[in-house]
Amino acid sequence: MPQGQPAVVPEDGLTTRQRRNRPLVVVHTGIGKGKSTAAFGLALRAWNQGWPIGVFQFVKSAKWKVGEENALKVLGASGEGGPVAWHKMGEGWSWVQRDRQLSNEDAAREGWEQVKRDLAAQTYQLYVLDEFTYPMHWGWVDTAEVIDVLRGRPGTQHVVITGRNAPAELVGFADLVTDMSKVKHPMDAGQKGQRGIEW
């Protein structure tokens, strides 16, 4: 277990153990590559701990076959770690709005309603809300409501949210925020995304 000395010890009345086991809201944002990849890395750790995992992919098309989905489904069905459920809500690619915006908007709202139901029922211990910053950024889902729901969630449910343009209010509320900045990317030189790297 990594050790370290905190700069400030909160006056919250919690013991070190209680504070260590507090459920977290994690945000991976920024224009760099790796936001979803990092979230799925957390899912692998959660699977190893035997936690039930719910992955909710917002906006990305249900037709997309991403490698993490197959890998986590196989692991979830193996019986060795935690179970994994995968939910796809989108009709089109994430940060480029296309003609399917209305169906994306409806799907994103219904996806959020499902997340709320699962949080209330404590269905999972780790939620990966992939590309969920976009429905908030575009005004499809109310950021203040998201924060209220996450603040009031019962139990020890961890939530990781990915995507560009995370609302400032969400960033301020979250326990752990990583901004992925791009230094260099092969696409800048005209190279297309490739199998095994982008999906």
Side-chain angles (χ1 to χ4, degrees), residues 176-197:
L176 191 163
V177 179
T178 299
D179 187 300
M180 306 284 191
S181 61
K182 183 184 76 166
V183 175
K184 193 174 184 181
H185 196 293
M187 289 182 179
D188 297 337
Q191 182 171 329
K192 302 251 184 203
Q194 59 180 295
R195 193 180 300 267
I197 302 296

Side-chain angles (χ1 to χ4, degrees), residues 56-67:
F56 296 80
Q57 283 195 296
F58 288 84
V59 188
K60 282 182 180 173
S61 173
K63 297 175 185 174
W64 277 61
K65 303 297 182 198
V66 295

Side-chain angles (χ1 to χ4, degrees), residues 122-182:
Q122 300 185 59
T123 306
Y124 308 108
Q125 195 162 351
L126 177 70
Y127 295 72
V128 176
L129 309 186
D130 191 34
E131 313 286 357
F132 189 49
T133 60
Y134 300 108
M136 287 183 275
H137 177 70
W138 293 331
W140 299 351
V141 173
D142 182 60
T143 302
E145 180 193 2
V146 170
I147 291 170
D148 284 345
V149 168
L150 294 179
R151 181 180 284 120
R153 71 195 187 281
T156 56
Q157 301 175 96
H158 301 278
V159 179
V160 57
I161 298 170
T162 73
R164 296 181 181 203
N165 303 312
E169 300 85 354
L170 178 68
V171 168
F173 167 72
D175 301 292
L176 191 163
V177 179
T178 299
D179 187 300
M180 306 284 191
S181 61
K182 183 184 76 166

